[in-house]
Amino acid sequence: MDESAESLMTPAEANAFQGRPPAVVAARESLASAGAHLMPAAAVKAHFSTGEEEWRRFATHWEDLSQDRYASERGTCRLRRYGQFSLTPAAGELTQLPDTPFMQPDRSNPLYTDVDRHFDPLTAAFVADPLLRSIVALLGHVAGSLDSAACWIAQVHPFRVVARAGGEGQPTPEGRHRDGVTLVSSLLVGRNNATGGRSTVFAPDGTELLSTTLAEPASLLLSDDRRTLHAVSPIRPLDPSRPAHRDVLVATLIPA
């Protein structure tokens, strides 16, 4: 293909010509135009060429999370861990960084602005899981539509929100908020006995840009955190005599 023919291609065709997978092309276009994108579970699994066994193994890491004492102080039962990576998408390099407290910047999360929160680190087994590394690599390629950074800092948070029998669990007790990053993502890992948990991405004026309930494991919600806000509705037990939980992997990217 000569240069003149390439210049006539649409952005989607140009991306495909450059070798980007269709799932990445669709996500980059949606983020650049609308600020949000839902990648269905089937598309995520196809992108990684993974089967149910790999996803079941990945989900077992959510049985080894620790209590989030900051959420508990506000009446929310939430389990989590936290870690950071350096990501260079072009080279395919992902390096775990030393453990540090988690802090969200001013004008982001109203509950925890400029508060150092100390969480237990990611387990070695979780860090070594090939699926985690594939997910973060995918986010790096998607984030290229938002910023031309050669290197990113990936902040990784495996979460479990619990609703006690007869009660409810709050995935986002802070309500609509930003995370103070460039790209924010939420990957559903599993739900048990849970109803609710609807994820919504908003424009700054309150207009709903995308609203969905992540119901199938591997469903991935992405948004441009610089120009949107997001929130998740409470979860409640389907069977009110038993507790419920919702497991997600929240990963955010900022230029290094």
Side-chain angles (χ1 to χ4, degrees):
M1 179 180 294
D2 62 29
E3 289 184 4
S4 61
E6 185 179 351
S7 67
L8 297 175
M9 292 192 294
T10 66
E13 291 168 334
N15 281 339
F17 175 71
Q18 293 166 11
R20 295 194 179 103
V24 173
V25 172
R28 288 171 64 104
E29 290 184 340
S30 292
L31 286 170
S33 60
H37 179 72
L38 175 64
M39 194 177 292
V44 174
K45 292 176 180 178
H47 177 81
F48 296 140
S49 300
T50 51
E52 296 306 317
E53 182 178 347
E54 288 92 341
W55 288 96
R56 282 194 295 268
R57 181 200 66 225
F58 191 59
T60 62
H61 299 299
W62 272 252
E63 302 303 325
D64 192 15
L65 302 181
S66 304
Q67 191 74 34
D68 178 346
R69 65 180 180 88
Y70 305 95
S72 296
E73 290 169 356
R74 297 179 179 273
T76 296
C77 184
R78 184 163 67 187
L79 309 176
R80 71 188 293 175
R81 289 181 180 272
Y82 170 64
Q84 293 189 97
F85 297 84
S86 171
L87 171 66
T88 308
E93 296 177 352
L94 183 67
T95 305
Q96 188 176 17
L97 298 175
D99 295 327
T100 59
F102 176 57
M103 185 181 74
Q104 291 177 284
D106 191 16
R107 298 184 301 279
S108 57
N109 187 325
L111 292 185
Y112 302 111
T113 297
D114 293 332
V115 175
D116 284 350
R117 286 183 283 169
H118 297 260
F119 300 113
D120 284 351
L122 305 174
T123 66
F126 182 67
V127 171
D129 196 302
L131 194 47
L132 171 66
R133 307 184 82 81
S134 295
I135 291 165
V136 177
L138 168 63
L139 298 178
H141 291 300
V142 168
S145 66
L146 305 178
D147 193 293
S148 59
C151 183
W152 297 86
I153 300 299
Q155 299 173 318
V156 174
H157 314 252
F159 279 105
R160 169 172 288 179
V161 173
V162 178
R164 295 184 176 89
E168 67 176 26
Q170 293 280 354
T172 53
E174 60 273 65
R176 299 180 192 181
H177 67 285
R178 290 187 172 94
D179 285 359
V181 297
T182 301
L183 176 71
V184 61
S185 72
S186 183
L187 176 83
L188 182 71
V189 174
R191 297 166 63 102
N192 182 267
N193 190 39
T195 184
R198 189 166 186 82
S199 301
T200 305
V201 181
F202 302 89
D205 65 3
T207 302
E208 289 190 8
L209 302 175
L210 192 159
S211 187
T212 184
T213 299
L214 301 177
E216 184 178 355
S219 302
L220 178 63
L221 179 62
L222 305 157
S223 58
D224 180 350
D225 193 60
R226 302 165 306 174
R227 58 189 178 105
T228 65
L229 297 92
H230 58 276
V232 184
S233 68
I235 65 166
R236 297 178 179 83
L238 281 167
D239 176 354
S241 68
R242 298 188 294 115
H245 67 252
R246 175 180 181 267
D247 294 347
V248 297
L249 175 66
V250 172
T252 63
L253 265 63
I254 53 176

